[in-house]
Amino acid sequence: MRAIRAAAVALAVILLVSSIPCPAGAELPLSEFKHVKLAAVYTTSTGEERGVLTDLYVYATPGSGHVFVDTHPFTQIDMQGSARLAAMVACDVLGLNYRDYDFYYLVKVDSPVAGGPSGGASMTVATIASLLNLSMRNDVVMTGMINPDGSVGPVGGIPSKLRAAASEGATMFLIPKGQGTVYVKRLHQEQRGPFVLITEKVEKVDVIELGRSLGVQVVEIEDIRDALRIFTGYAIEEKKYAGGALTEQFKQTMRPLAERLLNEVETTYARLSQTSAPSLSSELGSASSMMEHAKSLYAKGAYYASTSQSFGALIKLRYVDYASGYLKAQNGTEYLAMVQDEVREEIDRSNKSVRDAANTADVINLEGLGAAESRVQKAQELLAQAMESQSVAEQLSLLAFAYERARSAQWWIAIAQQEGVKGLDEDELRELAAGYISQAQSIAAYSSTLLQESGATGLMPLLDGASSDIESAKTQFQEGFYAGAIYDALRSMVGSSVAIELIGQRELSENLKRAEESARNAIIEERRYGIEPILAASAYENAMEGQLGEVDRLVELEYARLTARTTVRVLSDLGYAEVGTSVKSVEDLLGKASSHPSSSSTSTSTPSSEHSPPAMGDAGWMLMVALLVAGWLRATQRK
């Protein structure tokens, strides 16, 4: 077995290198392979950051979705993840299935460069050029990550990369939108008598002006289509649609739940108003305010936003219920233990409901499944925090939140069974989830560096949230909740990207306008593929109707856009063209979810299982070798 694998890997490398002609000249024949310069950075022995350009050669050929990467010599660049994502996005932009092609990426590096997927956007453009056999300009250099929706993500080291591009004759330098001004750290030396004082200072750099001084036009780009047009002259226009994001179908899907929760809030509030301890009146007042807001939102047809307000009210009311019980209990310790058991049972019940639906439902909506899985994990996280708390009030508050969060998972999984695809391939979904988590980690790392360099400490909560979302995604991945892992990774990407976008900005009106239009368009496009964007549309409605600040509203809109676009791409990558509808109504499906079970309810816990990548058998490795040989023969015949 090991010998077969070793032979396959060795043959893969040999065939990859031998199939790409590497003459003395740095540039490959444009008729066969596409060449582009990647901008990177490295740190000298004295701590100075310097830019460097590396050579990337790309070849795409009909195949089976394999992505092969080779570097000369080995570098710290995270190429494998960037290459796979570049292949996926390139095919998505062109309306192709990346599993119908094999992709070869060869990187030649003359200097030790720093890690990071900052060449992802360039790799994507070169991949599209190879698929369409387009000629590429050799006087353009670009830096930027590629995001799953085709947008170009933020990177670091831009001034150093710009100088390297200028030194090698570039006339145009493409950078991610919003990074026309960056902050860099400089080491300053000052002689004081026999001593040299070295200090580090943060400096603001106008990249546009720096490029002008170097004779290079710096252009900010937002989408990979913009970059492709500049590199090749080939335009792929983004589709724009008329109409609204919140259709009557979406509203009627959310209406039964909104009505149900409002009734529950009113009933529970009336009961607790008569029985709760007087010291909890402020909490009751907060719940009352949320209830009234939920009513007004329901009246105007904003059913998801109404549900969100009712959910907040239910958390407050459950805390009042728990706290009143604790104050009246003869033994507080025993009462806490009882509440903890109640919460565990509800989480176990939700866990089982979500897993059962994912495995047995006639149809499943990927976004709804992801939302349900994410909420189960969040409930478990809140329970763990409660168990660690030394404050009774805080523990009861966390337990109340955990209970209601677990219940919300049952609501989402019920809605998810109304419309969706028939059966999801868990192994393929896991592979995609791993890629999204990796991408989210890369963006968060860049965001952290840039925020520290710029001193934009006010934006750190966004990054903290992004880091928390990554941890949630990783936990869900380990638990086998791959859809939830994908959508939490997307939320992390949004948080990190928005943090960078807002560096140095105070006026957000244009950002919000652009984000709202992009989100609306993406949601409409998802529906045109026959997919109901229940998570994306919910985020959009929350942004438009919820009581959110400008930053939170921007995050919700960006999340709606990224969710809608990514769902289409994920289902396309998984090969799902058929979208089905459940024979059951929304009301029937919601009826399966517990409304307000008592602590005496029984629950069935689902034991956790290990989810390790499936081992590739001998046949799999031999198949990979065969595919490589076939790709090499095709390349040889074309010459």
Side-chain angles (χ1 to χ4, degrees), residues 20-229:
I20 299 179
C22 295
E27 194 168 43
L28 296 173
L30 293 179
S31 61
E32 294 291 340
F33 304 97
K34 302 306 171 184
H35 169 257
V36 69
K37 292 283 188 179
L38 300 182
V41 295
Y42 70 97
T43 304
T44 66
S45 58
T46 60
E48 180 184 1
E49 179 185 87
R50 291 185 181 176
V52 62
L53 298 188
T54 63
D55 293 294
L56 170 70
Y57 302 97
V58 181
Y59 178 65
T61 181
S64 304
H66 295 283
V67 177
F68 304 102
V69 179
D70 192 21
T71 60
H72 294 283
F74 176 78
T75 73
Q76 300 177 43
I77 293 181
D78 176 19
M79 295 298 300
Q80 186 64 49
S82 293
R84 182 167 294 278
L85 185 58
M88 290 179 175
V89 174
C91 287
D92 180 52
V93 168
L94 298 176
L96 304 174
N97 188 336
Y98 90 99
R99 296 180 184 278
D100 293 335
Y101 298 87
D102 287 338
F103 305 88
Y104 300 85
Y105 298 89
L106 175 63
V107 181
K108 300 185 69 175
V109 186
D110 295 327
S111 304
V113 297
S118 62
S122 297
M123 297 177 79
T124 305
V125 169
T127 304
I128 295 174
S130 181
L131 287 166
L132 297 181
N133 195 26
L134 301 174
S135 298
M136 298 183 66
R137 291 175 57 178
N138 57 16
D139 64 332
V140 178
V141 176
M142 173 168 57
T143 184
M145 291 189 290
I146 187 65
N147 289 329
D149 66 335
S151 61
V152 178
V155 296
I158 290 180
S160 298
K161 295 173 182 177
L162 172 56
R163 293 187 181 93
S167 68
E168 295 204 19
T171 63
M172 184 177 293
F173 188 67
L174 310 184
I175 63 174
K177 188 174 182 61
Q179 290 198 281
T181 298
V182 298
Y183 295 83
V184 299
K185 292 181 180 180
R186 304 286 192 197
L187 295 178
H188 291 264
Q189 296 185 8
E190 181 181 354
Q191 188 76 38
R192 292 189 179 180
F195 304 103
V196 176
L197 179 64
I198 301 178
T199 58
E200 186 178 73
K201 296 183 179 180
V202 176
E203 295 181 356
K204 179 179 178 180
V205 178
D206 185 330
V207 181
I208 309 296
E209 183 57 38
L210 175 61
R212 188 176 292 114
S213 69
L214 296 171
V216 178
Q217 180 185 3
V218 177
V219 178
E220 294 186 38
I221 56 171
E222 187 172 12
D223 188 88
I224 199 64
R225 296 171 181 82
D226 302 330
L228 180 69
R229 185 169 55 252

Side-chain angles (χ1 to χ4, degrees), residues 396-455:
L396 290 173
S397 178
L398 289 168
L399 288 169
F401 193 178
Y403 189 98
E404 296 299 334
R405 180 49 79 198
R407 288 182 62 210
S408 70
Q410 298 177 43
W411 308 333
W412 274 101
I413 200 60
I415 293 174
Q417 296 175 70
Q418 176 65 14
E419 181 181 78
V421 297
K422 298 181 178 181
L424 288 170
D425 189 307
E426 188 176 81
D427 290 337
E428 293 188 349
L429 198 60
R430 175 177 57 200
E431 180 181 344
L432 290 172
Y436 286 121
I437 292 173
S438 175
Q439 187 75 358
Q441 290 175 314
S442 297
I443 297 176
Y446 275 120
S447 180
S448 176
T449 299
L450 294 176
L451 290 186
Q452 292 176 21
E453 291 178 351
S454 65

Side-chain angles (χ1 to χ4, degrees), residues 269 284-294 309 313 547:
Y269 177 79
L284 272 177
S286 297
S288 177
S289 297
M290 291 180 177
M291 178 176 63
E292 294 305 318
H293 190 208
Q309 286 297 309
Q547 295 178 317

Side-chain angles (χ1 to χ4, degrees), residues 372-393:
E373 291 178 345
S374 176
R375 282 152 177 77
V376 171
Q377 193 279 325
K378 183 62 177 178
Q380 294 171 336
E381 179 183 316
L382 290 166
L383 175 60
Q385 292 175 9
M387 299 303 294
E388 295 177 357
S389 175
Q390 301 300 311
S391 166
V392 172

Side-chain angles (χ1 to χ4, degrees), residues 1 4-5 8 66 615-627:
M1 177 71 170
I4 293 175
R5 294 183 181 182
H66 295 283
M616 183 182 288
D618 292 356
W621 285 97
M622 294 306 296
L623 176 61
M624 186 184 81
V625 173
L627 288 168

